[in-house]
Amino acid sequence: MKLENLAHHINLCVKANNGIKLASWLSTNEPDHVDALRKANIGSTRDSLSKKYMNKFASPWDEICIAHLLAVIAISENRMEDAYKEQASMVNAFLRFFGVQTNWVLTPLWVVLTELRQLAHDGDVELYNQQKLTTCCEDAARICNKAFTMCVTDR
């Protein structure tokens, strides 16, 4: 699956306010589209994807799609710290969108934050095994707190 196809499916979900379907498209655990996305984009880097797709989709979806794809690739290559970093980038971009939406985006928010937490744990395990400083869970907690604050202060 090309990144344009992912963006198209996401766009349809956003236009229809379909949070459940959007959550499935943003999930790194959805086997059908994740495998197709990974296979069609093997060897892609942030630079090559940014040159090709940045500003071709409505903001922040260009950043969200690129980060999602890079997280999927990193997971398939068992690079969990990199997968966490890409997921964190995706979640931060999603939070910019989330702040101006209604409650229909709570389901995708829950999915991306749950996966962020799991990838943070996996990233810290990888760092610990390499005898490096573990920072992923701490960073993920800050992002989750930011999302929680956005939910609590919603009027």
Side-chain angles (χ1 to χ4, degrees):
M1 169 189 296
K2 292 185 178 181
L3 202 57
E4 297 97 331
N5 296 12
L6 175 66
H8 172 72
H9 288 292
I10 287 174
N11 189 41
L12 292 176
C13 295
V14 171
K15 285 183 178 182
N17 290 353
N18 188 340
I20 293 171
K21 194 68 175 164
L22 178 61
S24 72
W25 285 110
L26 294 178
S27 175
T28 58
N29 294 322
E30 195 68 35
D32 293 334
H33 88 268
V34 165
D35 288 340
L37 194 60
R38 181 184 50 77
K39 287 176 184 174
N41 295 283
I42 292 174
S44 295
T45 64
R46 177 167 288 284
D47 289 340
S48 68
L49 292 170
S50 293
K51 287 176 187 171
K52 189 172 181 180
Y53 295 112
M54 199 56 88
N55 300 320
K56 288 196 177 184
F57 313 136
S59 183
W61 297 107
D62 50 359
E63 189 177 336
I64 290 170
C65 289
I66 290 169
H68 177 67
L69 170 58
L70 292 172
V72 164
I73 291 171
I75 290 168
S76 72
E77 295 172 353
N78 210 26
R79 294 181 292 113
M80 303 317 284
E81 181 191 11
D82 292 338
Y84 165 74
K85 289 178 181 177
E86 294 301 340
Q87 183 76 1
S89 175
M90 192 267 284
V91 171
N92 281 321
F94 183 79
L95 288 176
R96 288 197 307 273
F97 170 75
F98 176 80
V100 296
Q101 295 299 311
T102 58
N103 65 350
W104 74 271
V105 292
L106 288 173
T107 302
L109 177 67
W110 182 82
V111 167
V112 298
L113 289 176
T114 301
E115 292 179 1
L116 178 73
R117 183 194 58 79
Q118 184 59 52
L119 288 171
H121 174 266
D122 295 346
D124 274 352
V125 168
E126 181 181 281
L127 289 170
Y128 179 80
N129 290 337
Q130 296 171 358
Q131 298 180 340
K132 294 181 180 176
L133 183 63
T134 58
T135 57
C136 298
C137 285
E138 187 177 330
D139 184 53
R142 278 193 287 278
I143 294 169
C144 290
N145 283 338
K146 180 180 174 184
F148 178 75
T149 301
M150 290 175 81
C151 290
V152 169
T153 58
D154 181 42
R155 296 181 187 115

